[in-house]
Structure formats: structure tokens, C-alpha cells
Amino acid sequence: MPVSYNISSELNIIIYICKELVTGSDLFKTAGITFKDKRYKYGMVLLIDLLSATLDFELQDLRRVITETNATKEKGLEPEQIIILSRSTGIHLACKTLNLMSSKDAIKLSAFHTLEQALISLDLTMDQQEIIQFWQESKAVGQ
């Protein structure tokens, strides 16, 4: 499977490690498994590592993200923070587009070139070493 995941309840984070060619369907399928994992709790930071992957995301996948995030907001839940690690300009633009297309404040989606940039943006520098170690362990397990 091109997507694996790891959860740290202590750090309140889920890391998705993507390799090779990854489709929107692959990501949604893995997310469905993750949300059934006993370690998962709503409100965790979702980190999607696409640094070693090519993402094949289609228009229907974008619509699904918008629909699901808008539905979450309508239920009165705050959106989970989604961080994407990617060097692709297209991914960065897609994140900005999704933020603009979703209902007001229904999605918290950001893309960064490095994990360190993401942690600074999220003000998670106090846990930076632990998160980096967890990310590295998650990458090793996903190989």
C-alpha cells in the first residue's frame, strides 16, 4: 500500500507516510482505517508526508475533501489541522485553493517544504525533537 500511518496519542498527531504514486482514494482509504484505530481521537494534527510520493489527486477528490470538511463544520466540530509536506508547487496551490473553496473556517490545511517549517507555523517547537523522532520512526516502519 502506498500510504502507511502512525499515531502518537502523547504528541496528538497522526503521520501518513506516502510513497510512490498515491491517489486520493488511497489517502481516503487509509484515513478511514486510521479513524477506527483505538489510538485516534478527534482533533489530532494530521501530517501527510508526500516528500517521497507523487500525488494523483483528481477533481472529485477535491470535492470530497470540501464536502467532508464542510459537513464536519456543520456538526459544530472544529476542523482538524492538516499539514502536507511536499516540494510540489501544485500541492501548495491546491491547499490554498481548498482553503478558499471550503466554507468559512471549515478546513485548516497548510503545505510546507519541511517538517521544521510546519512545526514553527503550528507553534509546536516545544515538541519539535519528539515530533521529528516520531516522524523518522514512522518513515522507517512504512518502508
Side-chain angles (χ1 to χ4, degrees):
M1 182 121 176
V3 182
S4 62
Y5 77 93
N6 199 0
I7 297 175
S8 172
S9 301
E10 298 80 29
L11 296 171
N12 199 40
I13 191 167
I14 302 168
I15 295 183
Y16 295 93
I17 303 295
C18 303
K19 296 190 173 166
E20 301 173 11
L21 180 65
V22 177
T23 65
S25 181
D26 293 329
L27 283 170
F28 292 125
K29 183 186 299 182
T30 304
I33 294 167
T34 303
F35 298 151
K36 293 176 184 171
D37 189 302
K38 63 182 178 184
R39 299 171 294 169
Y40 169 77
K41 62 182 184 240
Y42 189 82
M44 295 180 125
V45 173
L46 310 176
L47 176 79
I48 303 170
D49 180 345
L50 293 173
L51 295 172
S52 298
T54 301
L55 183 63
D56 182 14
F57 220 63
E58 298 180 8
L59 184 56
Q60 66 196 27
D61 299 321
L62 295 174
R63 287 186 182 133
R64 182 174 177 181
V65 169
I66 292 167
T67 301
E68 289 185 13
T69 56
N70 287 344
T72 300
K73 186 70 173 178
E74 288 172 8
K75 291 177 186 174
L77 297 171
E78 284 298 312
E80 293 177 303
Q81 180 69 57
I82 303 169
I83 301 299
I84 297 178
L85 298 181
S86 175
R87 292 182 188 90
S88 166
T89 303
I91 297 293
H92 288 254
L93 291 173
C95 289
K96 290 178 183 180
T97 301
L98 282 167
N99 282 318
L100 290 171
M101 293 177 65
S102 68
S103 297
K104 185 174 172 80
D105 300 324
I107 191 169
K108 291 181 183 176
L109 178 63
S110 305
F112 297 93
H113 295 282
T114 68
L115 179 58
E116 290 80 7
Q117 290 172 339
L119 297 175
I120 290 167
S121 175
L122 294 171
D123 198 26
L124 293 173
T125 53
M126 288 184 62
D127 295 324
Q128 181 170 342
Q129 287 306 108
E130 292 86 356
I131 293 172
I132 290 172
Q133 181 178 347
F134 180 64
W135 174 60
Q136 291 170 337
E137 290 168 3
S138 299
K139 287 173 39 171
V141 170
Q143 291 182 358

